[in-house]
């Protein structure tokens, strides 16, 4: 049986992952056995719902007691510091969205995992949504025929979990999964806590709308055949993530590369720099 530890219980994700792995009956070979984080009240609440969990005061106390770890802290600035010790110990890790909020930190973490041969996954589950995959397939049919693209997703600009970075990775990862992991530059503006971004690829432009308070996910592609668009259903994202994590733990194979995990961090940092400086910013290519 794979014993899983969760770090960061102050969110819906920790409860959903625990319920799927340990309460749904779908994963007989997997169980969340440990949990911990910086919020005592949240730890106790999870323990009250799933009384089989061992709550640890220091998340690093899970080392040697779990076979895998899920870092689900709401604030991405904590993700690398918690994941690093487990990866160094050879423990496979799921690192929730955002993968990290700092580009250099993200590269260092991915390099560590690659050097150690440790499989990792994470970021936003929206990149694996059925509707996102259908949009990506439409682009992949013939990228040269794409004229423009557009995507919309929620944003939470004012929060205690990293501000812009707390929710924006959903749209970032949708963009890269659909249109490619090689954007060239971004031009972004912020107005009333909404952020609009024009993302330049080699052969087309993609417009992104990060909308504060609008809980809708939507994508559109215009190509020579007309307009292809979809509302994006996120209702199964937690099941998608658990299925991908379980598969990775069983096979040791990653669905997304180290570079693809880091790319959204580079993209979001370019967007943030653009709307705060008022300048067009190049998106740094990922080198692991």
């Amino acid at each position: 049986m794979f014993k899983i530890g969760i770090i960061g219980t102050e969110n819906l994700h920790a409860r959903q992952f625990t319920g799927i792995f340990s309460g749904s009956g779908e994963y007989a070979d997997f169980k969340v056995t440990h949990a911990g984080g910086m919020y005592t009240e949240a730890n106790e609440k999870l323990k009250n719902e799933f009384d089989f969990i061992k709550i640890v005061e220091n998340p690093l106390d899970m080392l040697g007691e779990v076979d895998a770890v899920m870092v689900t802290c709401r604030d991405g600035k904590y993700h690398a510091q918690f994941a690093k010790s487990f990866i160094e110990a050879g423990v496979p890790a799921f690192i929730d969205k955002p993968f990290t909020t700092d580009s250099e930190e993200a590269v260092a973490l991915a390099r560590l995992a690659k050097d150690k041969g440790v499989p990792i996954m994470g970021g936003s589950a929206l990149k694996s949504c059925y509707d996102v995959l259908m949009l990506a397939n439409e682009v992949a049919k013939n990228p040269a025929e794409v004229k423009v693209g557009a995507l919309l997703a929620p944003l939470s600009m004012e929060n205690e979990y990293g501000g812009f970075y707390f929710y924006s990775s959903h749209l970032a990862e949708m963009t890269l999964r659909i249109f490619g992991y090689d954007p060239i530059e971004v031009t972004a503006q912020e107005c009333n806590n909404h952020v609009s971004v024009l993302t330049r690829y080699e052969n087309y432009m993609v417009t992104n709308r990060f909308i504060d308070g609008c809980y809708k996910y939507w994508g559109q592609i215009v190509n020579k055949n007309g307009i292809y668009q979809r509302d994006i259903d996120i209702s199964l994202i937690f099941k998608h993530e658990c299925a991908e994590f379980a598969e990775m733990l069983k096979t040791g194979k990653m669905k997304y590369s180290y570079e693809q995990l880091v790319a959204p961090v580079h993209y979001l940092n370019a967007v943030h720099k653009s709307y705060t400086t008022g300048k067009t910013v190049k998106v740094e290519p990922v080198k692991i």
Side-chain angles (χ1 to χ4, degrees):
M1 181 180 73
F2 288 91
K3 294 181 290 184
I4 300 171
I6 290 182
I7 302 174
T9 61
E10 72 280 7
N11 53 69
L12 172 65
H13 295 199
R15 180 181 177 277
Q16 288 285 342
F17 295 145
T18 302
I20 292 171
F21 277 128
S22 302
S24 67
E26 296 179 40
Y27 294 94
D29 295 332
F30 298 84
K31 188 172 184 178
V32 175
T33 58
H34 295 65
M38 297 171 290
Y39 296 85
T40 301
E41 185 176 341
N43 293 339
E44 293 175 350
K45 184 176 180 180
L46 191 69
K47 172 69 173 175
N48 289 336
E49 185 168 0
F50 303 100
D51 60 5
F52 51 81
I53 291 178
K54 177 182 178 181
I55 299 296
V56 296
E57 184 173 343
N58 183 344
L60 298 184
D61 290 341
M62 298 182 197
L63 279 167
E65 297 190 10
V66 299
D67 303 303
V69 68
M70 303 184 82
V71 181
T72 61
C73 308
R74 280 185 168 180
D75 194 333
K77 72 180 181 182
Y78 298 115
H79 289 177
Q81 73 179 61
F82 283 127
K84 182 180 178 181
S85 295
F86 289 90
I87 293 171
E88 285 181 332
V91 178
F94 167 89
I95 304 167
D96 212 339
K97 59 88 181 167
F99 184 71
T100 70
T101 57
D102 181 89
S103 288
E104 291 184 3
E105 191 175 62
V107 170
L109 191 65
R111 283 178 179 167
L112 174 64
K114 187 175 184 179
D115 290 344
K116 293 283 185 177
V118 177
I120 59 175
M121 64 167 285
S124 170
L126 267 75
K127 61 179 173 287
S128 295
C129 283
Y130 175 79
D131 296 300
V132 169
L133 297 180
M134 291 299 291
L135 287 160
N137 183 63
E138 189 67 20
V139 172
K141 286 179 182 177
N142 195 335
E145 294 181 356
V146 175
K147 306 299 183 185
V148 294
L151 292 166
L152 178 149
L155 177 67
S156 172
M157 187 68 89
E158 296 180 0
N159 57 75
E160 58 182 303
Y161 307 113
F164 170 74
Y165 292 94
F166 173 45
Y167 233 71
S168 57
S169 62
H170 290 316
L171 184 47
E173 298 214 33
M174 288 163 53
T175 300
L176 300 184
R177 180 65 184 86
I178 294 168
F179 295 101
Y181 287 86
D182 54 351
I184 297 170
E185 62 185 23
V186 295
T187 305
Q189 290 187 331
E190 182 270 332
C191 179
N192 194 27
N193 286 342
H194 311 305
V195 177
S196 295
V197 185
L198 191 61
T199 301
R200 176 182 292 277
Y201 281 86
E202 183 177 358
N203 296 316
Y204 47 78
M205 307 285 277
V206 177
T207 302
N208 283 347
R209 308 290 188 193
F210 297 81
I211 309 297
D212 198 320
C214 175
Y215 296 96
K216 180 180 177 64
Y217 299 84
W218 171 86
Q220 181 187 76
I221 297 162
V222 180
N223 57 29
K224 77 170 193 175
N225 297 317
I227 298 174
Y228 181 85
Q229 61 186 15
R230 299 183 74 94
D231 288 332
I232 296 169
D233 180 5
I234 68 169
S235 61
L236 298 176
I237 58 173
F238 296 114
K239 288 190 174 183
H240 289 158
E241 285 183 311
C242 287
E244 289 178 12
F245 192 43
E247 184 68 14
M248 186 186 79
L249 294 180
K250 288 189 293 186
T251 66
K253 296 179 180 180
M254 294 165 51
K255 182 173 182 178
Y256 295 96
S257 70
Y258 297 108
E259 290 79 8
Q260 289 171 333
L261 292 174
V262 172
V265 183
H266 282 9
Y267 176 80
L268 285 178
N269 282 329
V271 170
H272 184 267
K273 184 176 181 180
S274 180
Y275 79 74
T276 54
T277 64
K279 298 179 180 180
T280 296
V281 176
K282 292 188 178 299
V283 181
E284 293 297 323
V286 180
K287 297 179 181 179
I288 305 299

